[in-house]
């Protein structure tokens, strides 16, 4: 088995301002089907490493849970974020309020973005990747206080199709729980490089890459992962660019997912994701950080 640390030290590249990387290991893959919210599965999907053209590179491999267990202590990285224990949510109601304060609204993705219908997911459920690589809705696990997904899009215009995005916030009970979700998410692309999001929508050729703070260009979060692949839908055709970026700050994970369509460039999708993901990470810092940081 390849350790969780080994996965995160695989070769990566930076492209279009996003961490786009592939990784190959020396062990077999595996996964436990940990949930992952997104824009259009019974909740949605995600992304992985890809080159500037959007083509996924080699997928990572290995058991992300074979390394030493994560710590619940505050970050010891150079990141300018010190969580204030007094501001950490302790109840589901507090966690849901926090998720709503963080999840990106349309304006956070860029000019022209609007709400989709439905705009918010049901906070009582989260997406789960089943044994057949199909996304289903499942109840919240005991390790999660709240999760919320908000759906937005840049409407079709001038012969171009829409850019569809989603911002997902998951508030875990502990930092350790959030760290395990990051590790488990890496395994999803290994176990299921091709996934069905919902009826009539699928993604293929997924590859994923994880990076701790200071590794592979990650200078914004305590932990980060990216996934990329190709998106197909009965409505929009395909293949189109698909990308997922997920970050962890303390006990909170935030994810941004983007799906292109006819006439939309990879750069257009990635620019929106950079803005949405950055806004959510900043919101976590504002909501949970110590006042004197």
């Amino acid at each position: 088995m390849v350790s969780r640390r080994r996965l995160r030290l695989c070769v990566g590249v930076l492209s279009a301002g996003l961490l786009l990387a592939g990784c190959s290991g020396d062990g077999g893959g595996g996964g436990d089907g940990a949930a992952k919210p997104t824009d259009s599965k019974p909740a949605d999907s995600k992304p992985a490493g890809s080159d500037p053209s959007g083509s996924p590179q080699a997928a990572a491999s290995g058991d992300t849970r074979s390394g030493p267990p994560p710590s619940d202590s505050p970050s010891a990285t150079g990141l300018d974020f010190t969580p204030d224990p007094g501001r950490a949510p302790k109840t589901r109601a507090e966690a849901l309020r926090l998720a709503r304060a963080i999840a990106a609204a349309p304006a956070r993705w860029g000019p022209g973005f609007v709400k989709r219908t439905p705009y918010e997911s049901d906070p009582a459920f989260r997406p789960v990747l089943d044994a057949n690589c199909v996304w289903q809705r499942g109840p919240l696990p005991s390790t999660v206080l709240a999760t919320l997904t908000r759906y937005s899009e840049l409407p079709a215009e001038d012969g171009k199709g829409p850019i569809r995005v989603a911002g997902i916030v998951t508030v875990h009970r502990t930092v350790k729980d959030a760290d395990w979700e990051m590790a488990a998410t890496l395994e999803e692309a290994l176990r299921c490089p091709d996934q069905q999001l919902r009826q009539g929508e699928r993604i293929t050729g997924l590859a994923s890459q994880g990076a701790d703070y200071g590794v592979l260009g990650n200078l914004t979060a305590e932990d980060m992962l990216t996934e990329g692949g190709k998106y197909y839908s009965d409505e929009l055709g395909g293949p189109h660019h698909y990308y997922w970026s997920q970050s962890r700050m303390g006990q909170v994970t935030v994810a941004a997912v983007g799906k292109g369509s006819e006439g939309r460039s990879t750069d257009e999708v990635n620019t929106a994701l950079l803005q949405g993901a950055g806004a959510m990470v900043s919101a976590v810092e504002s909501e949970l950080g110590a006042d004197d940081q």
Side-chain angles (χ1 to χ4, degrees):
M1 290 292 186
V2 180
S3 73
R4 180 166 172 269
R5 182 55 134 179
R6 166 69 179 82
L7 274 174
R8 291 179 177 170
L9 294 179
C10 296
V11 177
V13 296
L14 288 172
S15 175
L18 289 169
L19 180 65
L20 304 176
C23 166
S24 60
D26 34 276
D32 60 4
K36 174 175 193 177
T38 137
D39 164 272
S40 79
K41 12 184 145 169
D44 208 67
S45 46
K46 42 193 181 153
S50 63
D51 60 22
S53 68
S55 302
Q57 297 175 331
S61 71
D63 179 356
T64 64
R65 298 200 175 197
S66 61
S71 170
D72 239 358
S73 61
S75 171
T77 70
L79 187 66
D80 187 20
F81 171 67
T82 303
D84 181 349
R87 304 178 73 178
K90 310 266 188 320
T91 67
R92 292 192 182 276
E94 291 173 347
L96 185 55
R97 183 211 64 79
L98 177 64
R100 288 203 164 106
I102 295 170
R108 295 296 187 181
W109 303 98
F113 278 83
V114 299
K115 294 179 180 181
R116 292 185 63 196
T117 301
Y119 176 51
E120 291 188 350
S121 64
D122 184 339
F125 298 91
R126 74 181 317 215
V128 179
L129 189 62
D130 71 16
N132 296 316
C133 300
V134 177
W135 285 96
Q136 308 286 352
R137 288 203 317 166
L140 297 185
S142 61
T143 56
V144 172
L145 285 173
T147 187
L148 183 74
T149 302
R150 281 183 176 158
Y151 306 104
S152 302
E153 74 173 5
L154 185 63
E157 61 180 352
D158 300 329
K160 298 180 178 181
I163 294 177
R164 290 178 175 165
V165 296
I168 305 100
V169 179
T170 303
V171 183
H172 300 265
R173 290 188 181 277
T174 68
V175 174
K176 183 181 293 185
D177 292 332
D179 203 30
W180 277 133
E181 180 186 324
M182 297 292 289
T185 299
L186 279 172
E187 294 181 314
E188 291 173 348
L190 305 178
R191 179 168 67 88
C192 295
D194 300 334
Q195 302 173 6
Q196 181 177 322
L197 308 181
R198 61 165 69 173
Q199 189 66 36
E201 288 186 290
R202 61 190 175 92
I203 45 178
T204 65
L206 287 180
S208 62
Q209 174 67 61
D212 292 324
Y213 175 81
V215 178
L216 300 178
N218 172 22
L219 299 175
T220 61
E222 292 179 293
D223 195 3
M224 178 181 178
L225 66 87
T226 58
E227 294 183 356
K230 299 297 184 182
Y231 168 69
Y232 299 81
S233 81
D234 292 348
E235 176 191 359
L236 301 174
H240 302 302
H241 181 54
Y242 177 83
Y243 201 86
W244 169 286
S245 174
Q246 182 169 316
S247 299
R248 181 186 64 78
M249 298 288 282
Q251 72 191 87
V252 177
T253 60
V254 297
V257 60
K259 297 181 294 187
S261 61
E262 189 68 28
R264 298 294 188 178
S265 70
T266 296
D267 284 350
E268 285 181 284
V269 178
N270 288 353
T271 295
L273 291 187
L274 276 173
Q275 293 185 210
M280 288 189 287
V281 169
S282 294
V284 175
E285 293 177 334
S286 297
E287 292 289 331
L288 296 182
D291 291 335
D292 59 350
Q293 65 180 23

